[in-house]
Amino acid sequence: MTEGPTINTIARRAGVSIASVSRVLNGLPTREETVRRVLSAAEELGYVPNSVARSLKNRRTNQVAFAMADIGNPVYLAMVREIQPVLRAAGYRLLLHSTDADVADELDVLRGLGERYVDGLIMSPLRVTDEHLRALAAARAPVVVIGSVPEETGVDNVRADSRTGVRLALDHLYGLGRRRIAFVNGPPDTVPGAARAAAYREALDALGLPYDENLVEVGDFYRAEGATAVRALLDRAADVDALMCANDLIALGALDVLRRAGRRVPEDVAVVGMDDTYLAGVAWPALTSVSLGSERRGRAAAELLLDRLENGQRQARVVTVEPRLAVRASTAGVRDGTDDVPGAGEGTEGEESP
Amino acid sequence: MTEGPTINTIARRAGVSIASVSRVLNGLPTREETVRRVLSAAEELGYVPNSVARSLKNRRTNQVAFAMADIGNPVYLAMVREIQPVLRAAGYRLLLHSTDADVADELDVLRGLGERYVDGLIMSPLRVTDEHLRALAAARAPVVVIGSVPEETGVDNVRADSRTGVRLALDHLYGLGRRRIAFVNGPPDTVPGAARAAAYREALDALGLPYDENLVEVGDFYRAEGATAVRALLDRAADVDALMCANDLIALGALDVLRRAGRRVPEDVAVVGMDDTYLAGVAWPALTSVSLGSERRGRAAAELLLDRLENGQRQARVVTVEPRLAVRASTAGVRDGTDDVPGAGEGTEGEESP
DNA sequence: ATCCCACCCGTAAACGTTTACAGACACGGT
DNA sequence: ACCGTGTCTGTAAACGTTTACGGGTGGGAT
């Protein structure tokens, strides 16, 4: 932990100027002899360039941040797992911010861009307030938002398509003969909550099914709240034959409650989750789930950001990822849960640890 | 995205020197009047200090990195979730490295410390080679290793206690009357693989049970490999009445296979996982699992590192975290899976996303 | 009036790089 | 012998901070 060698140390040892050292280390044309001297001096001293000094001069840090509510959520996790390798391949390090969906925290992150500790930011806010939009407009570095943001904001934007997603699920359930399809949502003041609620109504309309508010329950995007909501739902509308859950965690809670209530899945009640996280494959019965393409969204966001970092003046772009329905035992009546790997071939599954 | 104001801009606008600006912004004693002028100039200009320049001068970045094999693994995830808030509270940002357990990558990270882009590193290598030890000794910044490393290395070290952990599990199974307790391990050349293999033998000895190599299967720390291993095991030793799995992912694979094979869990075969990740609560039946305290280890590592950052010359410390057994349906015959929340009260469960 | 001291503040150097610029030198052509 | 050209390298400034040092000012004590 002694003070490391700098370009100066090398220059002295090699008997050249620091400019020459820098040139050699950056591969600029230099006389053979000088190159040798510098390289061997650097080698002997175990020189490693100081990235902070380099960043100061170059005005780029080769760091990018990803800000999301909570990395414990499998959706964000899936994104990180895609974002990381893309950035890494391009020579960027990844910084993580967990904001707990706290608006003030998110704004802090945005303002923090002024500190220039990263070259860009990928952010996936649960709620998008006016303050967010203002902060985005004032951001001192390129930002890519995962989640819908008005076009005028002029920010690169990666979107899911809950509308089509919910539609896929309801069509599927309808095709299975289900007519009392309930909807268990998270907070409707969140971006995904609002989108999915609207999508549910629309899909019912399209199928010619009536909207019955007894079939709608609002909770939060967690397992425990999902369970609570489904309990209430069963009390209120005993004849439900299908549950559309606004994410996989809610669906997991639903499975627990249904099991306890003695309802068979899928025979009595079919269950569909959303996000198609790897939890869908772990659950039993394995969960049919609408993939909103977290992996693809993560990758797209990373690529948009990289592109923007090379071409700052480009017009803002909006990428929308197509949803897919992954059918598994919780609706299909297949015997067990290993038929389809969740994440739709985008590679999940964890590795071990000490 | 215009070039932001610097301390110079403020100095000019406030009619003072940059030294005064710096002093004011750092809260050093300054005349009332000057303070006002500087602050209001800074305010008007929307000044944000450049953290790169500051880092260069101060020789600290307020960043810390965490390097692990794969953040998709629930164990590392649990660690990140604990590490992040601890660091954040101390004013550090968190940088993530996924190394895929690649030794070369891990060494790169260690050497990269010379670039000074972080003040310290928490690292959880799956394998610890001699090269690791050399690189650790030569590291240019404080490192905390999660996973066992020889004392002489002189590195802060947080350890799990697989030995006691496996012992707890086997005692539990023995107490339930199980005598044909198989062991499904991951690669024995990894730190946890080796430790758990040894622990299994020891625990058998202590219980007076014979070591039967037909009851031992080696695969990898994933679900699919766990499944394969258990299939082989059932073929070879049809009379197993309990499975000790070296981690939760293996155990999930085991549950699948047992279900397909028509073996009831826990009546016919009891299953114990390891790490007590939140997957244990998602599985059905809910998985009894040995907690090796990923959360506590993560927190301990973060605290050790912070302490070391304040007190560089302190003697290296070793922290060992006590294992705990979380008993659930896969051994206890409890009817459903929501009795005990995994992570032993250390707070898991994800949140939702767009 | 002189001296001293306290208090503020500005100048300048430093952190470790990159890079514009110009000087030194060799060489070939006239 | 001179000039031009080209190649290589060193000097110095710059990136945006922090901070040691010393100078200026004003007030109180003598």
Side-chain angles (χ1 to χ4, degrees), chain B residues 178-223:
Chain B
R178 312 289 166 145
R179 294 297 179 269
R180 298 286 290 163
I181 306 174
F183 178 55
V184 190
N185 200 6
D189 67 327
T190 59
V191 173
R196 289 164 202 188
Y200 170 71
R201 292 194 78 133
E202 251 185 63
L204 285 182
D205 268 8
L207 291 169
L209 291 178
Y211 178 84
D212 175 353
E213 56 179 34
N214 281 318
L215 288 181
V216 175
E217 189 66 41
V218 166
D220 204 340
F221 288 115
Y222 300 91
R223 189 165 161 212

Side-chain angles (χ1 to χ4, degrees), chain B residues 248-273:
Chain B
D248 283 353
L249 292 169
I250 294 177
L252 290 179
L255 290 180
D256 287 342
V257 171
L258 291 169
R259 187 152 41 225
R260 279 204 227 214
R263 309 276 187 123
R264 290 169 305 160
V265 176
E267 294 84 348
D268 302 330
V269 181
V271 176
V272 179

